[in-house]
Amino acid sequence: MKVIHNESNLSTLLLGVTKMSSGITPPFVASNLALDFINTQFGVGAERKECLDGDSSVVAWLREAGVLTEDLESLPSGLVGLARELRENMRALVNAAKEGQPADPAVVNQVLERGAPIEKLVWDPTASVFRREEHRCNQEAESLLQPVARALVRLLTEEDLELVRQCEASDCVLLFHDQTKSHRRRWCSMASCGNRMKAAAHRARKNAK
């Protein structure tokens, strides 16, 4: 089984979103919130790219991912540090789960516990029914990152991990959740890695003649 690492030789990916303060465009190619978060670091050696390069970049990523919509009074202390710790713990858990091995979910559980949303029962006068609402418990780092941790829980407990894959491009290890009907997705993006690898294979066939 191919082990999932955090390296890729790709410096920038398409399907781009708002660039981070460093100018790096984080890839949103995984069809899964948790995997997109893991993909915020990629590259090998001098080509390693870090999308989460500061507290503001974490906030920007969360907004782009659609899990942070409200205005923040201030940037929570230690946000980028916790985000990176969470990302590494998530990556380790995905690796372990795919290999059928145990791993310590300490950081994920910390974020789940301390950032758990507050549930309220409210009356909807339009429908004349009660409904449940979830509210972010505060604007601390764990609370902001909690939706990402919850997405990982859903991925590891509700989805077929055989469909969690790495891009088959030789220089790309970005993760994705294959949600195609045929379950034959091979690339993080057909428009980038898929076309590159097909072009390379075509050149190789021509040179072999």
Side-chain angles (χ1 to χ4, degrees):
M1 180 180 292
K2 188 178 181 182
V3 178
I4 298 171
H5 302 286
N6 63 349
E7 290 131 356
S8 167
N9 289 331
L10 298 177
S11 59
T12 56
L13 282 295
L14 45 62
L15 298 183
V17 296
T18 304
K19 290 185 178 181
M20 302 293 99
S21 59
S22 62
I24 300 170
T25 300
F28 278 79
V29 297
S31 301
N32 181 274
L33 176 65
L35 298 179
D36 276 329
F37 189 73
I38 293 173
N39 286 341
T40 56
Q41 186 186 62
F42 56 95
V44 177
E47 296 299 315
R48 182 179 295 276
K49 304 299 180 183
E50 175 60 76
C51 297
L52 306 182
D53 55 357
D55 291 342
S56 60
S57 68
V58 179
V59 170
W61 188 93
L62 292 171
R63 290 194 188 285
E64 195 67 37
V67 296
L68 178 62
T69 57
E70 68 267 32
D71 293 331
L72 299 180
E73 297 176 1
S74 61
L75 292 178
S77 175
L79 178 59
V80 68
L82 180 59
R84 291 179 178 182
E85 289 181 25
L86 176 63
R87 182 180 60 196
E88 292 310 305
N89 194 209
M90 290 169 60
R91 180 181 290 115
L93 293 173
V94 171
N95 272 326
K98 286 184 67 64
E99 296 288 343
Q101 299 294 325
D104 183 5
V107 182
V108 169
N109 283 340
Q110 171 191 331
V111 172
L112 290 172
E113 179 180 356
R114 298 182 184 177
I118 297 171
E119 292 189 5
K120 293 183 179 180
L121 184 66
V122 299
W123 177 254
D124 184 343
T126 302
S128 298
V129 295
F130 284 102
R131 57 184 174 84
R132 181 178 65 88
E133 283 187 353
E134 280 193 355
H135 299 268
R136 200 180 302 279
C137 62
N138 53 49
Q139 294 190 349
E140 297 302 316
E142 287 87 355
S143 187
L144 298 185
L145 294 169
Q146 208 262 358
V148 177
R150 290 177 76 179
L152 181 77
V153 172
R154 290 192 296 270
L155 179 68
L156 296 185
T157 61
E158 300 177 13
E159 302 293 345
D160 180 359
L161 294 182
E162 290 296 322
L163 301 180
V164 175
R165 298 169 182 160
Q166 288 183 179
C167 180
E168 291 186 16
S170 58
D171 59 353
C172 179
V173 291
L174 286 177
L175 312 182
F176 61 84
H177 183 205
D178 184 2
Q179 298 180 354
T180 62
K181 290 184 178 180
S182 64
H183 298 317
R184 294 180 180 177
R185 181 178 171 184
R186 301 175 59 192
W187 321 106
C188 65
S189 169
M190 187 63 215
S192 59
C193 287
N195 285 340
R196 288 191 308 109
M197 292 300 102
K198 287 191 173 184
H202 178 70
R203 288 193 299 269
R205 286 193 298 270
K206 286 186 64 176
N207 293 336
K209 292 181 180 179

